C-alpha cells in the first residue's frame, strides 16, 4: 500500500475513533453493559460454540467496509447482502441468535439507542474474556451500516487455502502489519472451528505431507461423510478447543494445524518468528491480541449520518417504513 493511502486510512480511522467513547451509553442506556454481559454469559453457557461463532462474525463484519454490522443484514428479493457470499454461508447461527437476543432486550430497555455494531463488538469482547482471553477496551458510539452488498466481500476475506502473500496483503490493506495478522488469526482460531469441506483437500485422497499422520486419520474419520453432511466441522485447535490460549501456535510447530493457511504461518519466514514467540509466551500473545482487537474494533466505523441505529439487526430501518 502506498504511504499516502496508508496515512489517509489511519487519519480517517483516527477521526472516526475520536468520535467514540467508553461511556457512550452511560446516560442514554445505563443498563447496556449489564444486559450484554448477562445475555452473553447465558448464551455461552448454553451453547459453548457461541464464542467462536461470534468472533468469526465480528471479523467478517469488520473486514468488509468496517465494523458496522453490515454482515448481519439478511438478503432480500431486491438485494443480495454479504450473507449471500459463499464464505459467509458457514457463519454459525448461534452468533446471530446472540445478537438478536441482546438487541431485543436493549430495545425494551432503551428503544432506538444502541447500535447492532456496538452490540457485536462488545459481545465479542465479553466472550473472549469468558473463554480465557484478555480484557481490552471497547469504544462505543458506532452506527450501523445503511448497506450490505455481496459484491463487497470478495476483495476483503481470504479462503482456507490462501497463501501467506495473499493473507499479508489483505491485512495490510486494512492497516495491519504481519504481527497483527498472525495474532489475530491465532486468536480467532484458538477457539474456532471450520467445516470439513474447507480442509478436505488436505486429507482426501492423498494426505498433505506437512500434516501429522495421527491428525490426518482422526480428521478422516470425523469428516468421512462431509460431502453428504455439509455441517460436519472440526475445531481448529485440536488440543484445547474451548480455551482461549496459545496452544494453537504450539500445534503449528508440531504439524497439527487443521487449515493449510494456518500451517503456512509456521513455514513462512515472515510469519514463523511470531508463531514461535506466541507459542512460548502466552502473555505476549494475550497482550498483542488485545491491542490488535482494540485496533480492529474501530476499523472504518460509521458515525453520525454515515449510519443509523437499526430497529432490527438483520434489516435496515427503511425496510420497515
Amino acid at each position: 500500500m502506498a504511504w499516502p493511502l496508508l496515512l489517509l486510512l489511519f487519519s480517517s480511522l483516527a477521526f472516526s475513533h475520536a468520535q467514540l467513547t467508553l461511556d457512550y451509553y452511560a446516560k442514554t442506556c445505563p443498563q447496556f453493559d449489564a444486559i450484554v454481559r448477562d445475555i452473553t454469559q447465558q448464551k455461552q453457557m448454553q451453547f459453548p460454540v457461541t464464542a467462536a461463532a461470534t468472533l468469526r462474525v465480528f471479523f467478517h463484519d469488520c473486514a468488509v467496509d468496517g465494523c458496522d454490522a453490515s454482515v448481519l443484514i439478511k438478503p432480500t428479493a431486491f438485494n443480495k447482502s454479504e450473507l449471500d457470499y459463499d464464505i459467509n454461508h458457514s457463519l454459525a447461527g448461534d452468533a446471530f441468535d446472540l445478537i438478536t437476543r441482546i438487541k431485543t432486550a436493549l430495545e425494551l430497555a432503551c428503544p432506538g439507542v444502541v447500535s447492532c455494531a456496538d452490540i457485536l463488538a462488545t459481545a465479542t469482547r465479553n466472550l473472549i474474556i469468558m473463554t480465557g482471553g484478555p480484557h481490552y477496551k471497547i469504544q462505543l458510539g458506532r452506527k450501523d451500516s445503511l448497506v450490505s452488498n455481496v459484491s463487497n466481500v470478495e476483495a476483503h476475506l481470504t479462503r482456507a487455502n490462501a497463501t501467506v502473500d495473499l493473507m499479508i496483503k489483505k491485512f495490510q490493506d486494512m492497516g495491519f502489519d504481519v504481527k497483527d495478522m498472525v495474532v489475530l488469526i491465532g486468536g480467532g482460531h484458538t477457539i474456532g472451528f471450520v467445516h470439513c469441506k474447507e480442509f478436505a483437500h488436505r486429507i482426501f485422497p492423498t494426505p498433505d505431507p506437512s500434516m501429522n499422520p495421527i491428525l490426518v486419520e482422526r480428521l478422516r474419520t470425523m469428516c468421512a461423510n462431509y460431502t453428504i453432511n455439509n455441517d460436519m466441522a472440526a475445531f481448529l485447535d485440536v488440543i484445547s478447543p474451548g480455551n482461549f490460549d496459545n496452544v494453537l501456535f504450539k500445534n503449528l510447530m508440531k504439524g497439527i494445524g487443521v487449515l493449510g493457511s494456518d500451517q503456512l504461518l509456521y513455514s513462512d519466514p515472515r510469519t514463523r518468528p511470531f508463531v514461535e514467540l506466541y507459542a512460548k509466551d502466552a502473555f505476549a500473545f494475550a497482550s498483542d491480541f488485545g491491542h490488535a482487537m482494540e485496533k480492529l474494533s474501530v476499523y472504518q466505523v460509521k458515525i453520525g449520518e454515515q449510519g443509523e441505529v437499526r430497529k432490527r439487526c438483520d434489516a435496515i430501518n427503511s425496510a420497515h417504513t
Side-chain angles (χ1 to χ4, degrees):
M1 179 182 291
W3 278 110
L5 183 57
L6 185 60
L7 291 173
L8 179 61
L9 183 151
F10 278 118
S11 62
S12 174
L13 185 151
F15 175 77
S16 297
H17 178 266
Q19 312 303 306
L20 307 181
T21 62
L22 294 173
D23 59 351
Y24 188 83
Y25 298 113
K27 294 182 178 180
T28 56
C29 192
Q31 310 98 313
F32 170 75
D33 284 324
I35 289 174
V36 175
R37 182 189 64 240
D38 292 347
I39 295 177
T40 301
Q41 287 179 343
Q42 181 184 41
K43 176 70 178 180
Q44 177 65 11
M45 290 177 65
Q46 291 176 328
F47 302 96
V49 299
T50 301
T54 306
L55 178 53
R56 185 163 183 248
V57 168
F58 177 69
F59 184 80
H60 280 226
D61 178 49
C62 292
V64 181
D65 299 329
C67 305
D68 58 7
S70 57
V71 76
L72 303 180
I73 295 177
K74 289 182 178 179
T76 68
F78 307 101
N79 179 65
K80 288 190 173 183
S81 72
E82 292 171 27
L83 288 175
D84 273 316
Y85 194 72
D86 63 344
I87 291 179
N88 286 334
H89 291 173
S90 61
L91 293 175
D94 282 312
F96 298 97
D97 177 65
L98 171 64
I99 303 306
T100 299
R101 291 188 190 189
I102 296 172
K103 180 63 173 175
T104 300
L106 287 170
E107 284 299 304
L108 290 172
C110 36
V113 172
V114 180
S115 70
C116 302
D118 277 348
I119 293 172
L120 180 56
T122 305
T124 299
R125 189 273 313 276
N126 291 1
L127 287 162
I128 287 170
I129 295 171
M130 287 181 65
T131 52
H135 180 280
Y136 57 91
K137 296 178 180 179
I138 289 293
Q139 304 259 7
L140 300 169
R142 297 164 188 77
K143 290 295 192 294
D144 297 323
S145 68
L146 300 170
V147 296
S148 178
N149 294 319
V150 66
S151 60
N152 294 345
V153 182
E154 176 68 33
H156 302 288
L157 295 178
T158 58
R159 297 182 181 275
N161 61 350
T163 64
V164 176
D165 283 341
L166 181 59
M167 289 189 285
I168 289 176
K169 183 184 185 305
K170 298 276 189 180
F171 276 86
Q172 282 181 338
D173 287 347
M174 295 173 63
F176 292 93
D177 60 22
V178 174
K179 182 176 77 169
D180 291 330
M181 181 189 81
V182 174
V183 80
L184 285 171
I185 291 175
H189 292 179
T190 180
I191 56 172
F193 56 88
V194 62
H195 289 83
C196 292
K197 65 179 181 179
E198 300 295 338
F199 60 85
H201 64 283
R202 299 191 74 208
I203 58 176
F204 301 119
T206 304
D208 183 334
S210 69
M211 273 185 108
N212 182 293
I214 296 176
L215 177 62
V216 170
E217 289 308 310
R218 288 181 178 176
L219 292 176
R220 279 182 160 182
T221 300
M222 182 184 303
C223 299
N225 298 318
Y226 83 95
T227 56
I228 299 173
N229 183 357
N230 293 328
D231 293 330
M232 298 188 73
F235 288 110
L236 291 166
D237 175 0
V238 296
I239 305 299
S240 60
N243 299 326
F244 192 100
D245 54 31
N246 67 334
V247 172
L248 178 81
F249 297 105
K250 298 178 181 181
N251 294 346
L252 298 182
M253 295 177 68
K254 299 174 183 177
I256 50 177
V258 175
L259 284 182
S261 55
D262 281 359
Q263 194 60 55
L264 285 175
L265 296 178
Y266 184 59
S267 61
D268 192 284
R270 293 166 293 181
T271 51
R272 180 171 180 155
F274 298 113
V275 172
E276 294 174 334
L277 168 64
Y278 297 138
K280 71 179 181 181
D281 192 338
F283 178 80
F285 167 52
S287 177
D288 288 352
F289 180 79
H291 289 310
M293 285 297 286
E294 283 189 9
K295 183 177 172 182
L296 175 62
S297 71
V298 296
Y299 176 66
Q300 292 188 353
V301 294
K302 310 298 184 292
I303 56 173
E305 298 301 314
Q306 296 172 338
E308 65 181 5
V309 174
R310 290 189 210 132
K311 298 174 184 177
R312 289 180 42 165
C313 290
D314 61 1
I316 60 174
N317 291 340
S318 60
H320 306 290
T321 59

